[in-house]
Structure formats: C-alpha cells, structure tokens
Amino acid sequence: MPTLFSRLIGMLLVTISLASVAQNPEPQKSILITGATTGIGRNLAESLAKEGHHVYAGARTDAEMAELNTIDNITALRLDVTKQDQVDEAVQYIQERGTGLYALVNNAGIYDGGAVLDTELDVLNLVYQVNVEGVLRTTKAFAPLVIESRGRIATTGSIAGTVSGPGFAAYSGSKHYIEAFTDSLAAELEPLGVSVSVIEPGNYQTHIRRSAVKRSMARVVGGGGIVTSDMEKQYKAMEEVELSYKKPNEVTLAYKHALFADAPLRRYVVVPNAEEQQLTIETKIRELVQLNSWGPHSYDNQELVEKLKSALGL
C-alpha cells in the first residue's frame, strides 16, 4: 500500500501539473470570416466567439465594425472582398497582431440576376466580383497564414451550385465555381497540411434576398426612375419570406465540423428540410445519368449501379 508520504507527493505532482496547464493553455485559434455582419457569417462568428475562439470578422461600414467590436473575442476588420487594398490591409493587420490565422471562412456573397435573356452584364459582373473574384482574392491573400498554421479553408457555397432554374443562372453559376474552386484548392493544399471544404446551405434566414431587392431599387433610382409602391411591397414580401426561414444554426454546426474535426468532409449539404436534400441529391443523380447517356464509352445500367455502390462503400 502507498504510504501517506507517497500519496501526498502524488497529490502535489497532480496539483503542479494542473497549475502548469492553467498557466500554459492551448493558444487561442484565430479564424477570419468574411461577410460576418449578418446571416450565416454573423451566426458563425458569434457562436465561435462564445466558445472562446478569436474571430476576425469582416465588415464594410463603421457602424457594422462598431457593433461587432462590442462582442467578446471578435475583432472587426474593414473588409470588402472586392477591394484589394482592404484585403491587403487586413492581412497586414493580422500579421502585426501576431495571432496567426488558423482558418479562413469565405462567406461574403450576394444574390442578383434574373432570367438569362434579361440579365444585364453589369449585374452579372457584380455577382462574380463578389462571389467568385472575392473568394479567390481573399484566399490568395490569406492562404500563406493558413498554410503556416496547417489550418483550414472553408467556403459558403449553396445547393444552388447543384440546383438551378429560372432566374438563377448568375447566382448558380457563381456557386458552381465554388465547387470547382474547392476541389482544385483541396488537391493543391493537401500536401501542405491544409484541409479545404465547401458548406452548401439551402434556404436559411439571411439578408441575401432583401439585399438583392434593395440593389434593384437602387438601380431604378440610379437610372432616373422612382421606387414604386409595388417595389416596396416586393421588398416587404421578401423580408417576410426570409424571416420565415430557420436561423442558420445548422450551417454553423457544419462549419464547426469542417474547421475542427479530425476528418473534415469535402462537402456539407445543409438544408432545413427533406425536400431540399432530396432535390439536391436527385439533381446530381439526373446529371450522372445525363453524363452517361452519350458516347461509346458509357457504362451500361448495371455497371453504373455498381459504380454507385462502390462509391457508397457497399
């Protein structure tokens, strides 16, 4: 049996060990989120900060930055992803703070467009400037910091990157790019120890639709027109639709898995109901069949089924 002295020594060693852990905790990880003022970005930023992570939250106005800076563990950055000077200044700021950067979350994005034949090029260009060029710009700028941390890069895509339809060509096209971007970047950064994921939400509560209506109104005014009562009713109706959706807590959970799990996934489809999940997966299945419908090297039906079973590990 251990003597009283040996037990006391053991207790003392445990106390010293616990004190050492308390004095030398694991360094706080810093995560940058673009488009962190509303919707998915804001939900994720607040959740991560509440759990003790340090969040660099991208915002575009003084008011937005001031609001974000009132939240513990959040440091607001002026970061319009379409402006290279702001991106460069944000990189320099993080370098000067000396916190490093564990993860980059490319969340900033917009919806705009309409029917293909009615969409003006300046509208299409705006969508791509934010959703495509903005993602590439921020990733290129912050990747060296993430590579140094052997961290994570995750981007907000959409089920619209798979599913499209009338009025969605511009937005869906930009989210199709995110699919290709993710696969290429993941292959390029895997040897450097960086995991890359895309989070593909369905319809959750954000401001993206209301913002699109506001931009449409601004274009009317910019062209010398006036905002009609019908336009105001359209905005009100869109606001009611967006507020009827679930808050994006489930999207935040998917992001946390992508950022911290030992084995993060490449893709996370996150939808509020079975119908959106089924629509997304069934669209992919139809595309698979369409891809296999032409040419002398197509699989026959049984071979195609076997390929699917193999992919499922069956």
Side-chain angles (χ1 to χ4, degrees), residues 3-276:
T3 65
L4 176 60
F5 178 75
S6 65
R7 288 200 299 269
L8 288 173
I9 291 295
M11 291 172 62
L12 178 61
L13 290 173
V14 169
T15 301
I16 292 173
S17 176
L18 291 174
S20 175
V21 170
Q23 292 172 5
N24 299 284
E26 183 179 345
Q28 188 182 49
K29 291 180 177 178
S30 289
I31 299 162
L32 171 63
I33 304 173
T34 67
T37 56
T38 60
I40 291 169
R42 180 63 172 267
N43 189 285
L44 177 61
E46 290 186 358
S47 182
L48 290 175
K50 187 176 181 179
E51 293 179 359
H53 303 288
H54 175 231
V55 177
Y56 288 112
R60 295 191 299 163
T61 69
D62 290 339
E64 291 169 342
M65 292 179 65
E67 182 180 348
L68 286 165
N69 278 328
T70 65
I71 304 172
D72 290 343
N73 291 326
I74 289 183
T75 302
L77 294 176
R78 188 178 301 280
L79 188 54
D80 182 334
V81 299
T82 68
K83 299 184 184 302
Q84 187 66 50
D85 60 338
Q86 291 189 14
V87 173
D88 292 341
E89 288 168 6
V91 172
Q92 183 177 355
Y93 180 82
I94 293 173
Q95 289 173 329
E96 291 174 351
R97 285 282 297 263
T99 60
L101 188 66
Y102 168 72
L104 168 65
V105 172
N106 287 308
N107 174 69
I110 64 171
Y111 168 81
D112 215 322
V116 172
L117 301 183
D118 296 332
T119 301
E120 300 293 338
L121 283 177
D122 61 341
V123 174
L124 179 68
N125 289 338
L126 176 62
V127 173
Y128 279 71
Q129 284 166 9
V130 178
N131 295 2
V132 173
E133 293 176 20
V135 169
L136 180 59
R137 178 178 289 109
T138 53
T139 301
K140 290 177 68 175
F142 293 103
L145 290 171
V146 177
I147 291 169
E148 185 177 349
S149 300
R150 297 177 67 84
R152 309 283 169 93
I153 296 175
T155 302
T156 301
S158 171
I159 61 171
T162 294
V163 180
S164 194
F168 274 84
Y171 181 71
S172 290
S174 72
K175 294 305 182 178
H176 275 295
Y177 168 79
I178 297 303
E179 298 292 316
F181 162 88
T182 298
D183 285 333
S184 293
L185 187 66
E188 292 160 5
L189 295 188
E190 182 180 12
L192 302 178
V194 175
S195 295
V196 179
S197 302
V198 56
I199 316 300
E200 305 175 22
N203 287 304
Y204 286 93
Q205 190 180 123
T206 70
H207 285 68
I208 194 169
R209 303 161 192 84
R210 281 172 279 176
S211 296
V213 176
K214 281 188 174 181
R215 279 192 302 276
S216 179
M217 291 178 176
R219 285 195 289 268
V220 169
V221 173
I226 60 171
V227 174
T228 66
S229 59
D230 285 343
M231 293 177 187
E232 292 174 345
K233 289 178 182 177
Q234 182 187 13
Y235 178 82
K236 185 64 177 176
M238 188 58 71
E239 181 179 47
E240 291 174 359
V241 168
E242 286 197 317
L243 292 176
S244 72
Y245 291 142
K246 294 172 66 175
K247 291 187 176 180
N249 298 330
E250 294 162 351
V251 185
T252 287
L253 288 176
Y255 255 116
K256 288 178 181 177
H257 191 277
L259 293 175
F260 303 116
D262 290 337
L265 305 179
R266 176 71 56 81
R267 285 176 170 80
Y268 296 78
V269 173
V270 192
V271 291
N273 53 61
E275 290 76 15
E276 290 186 22

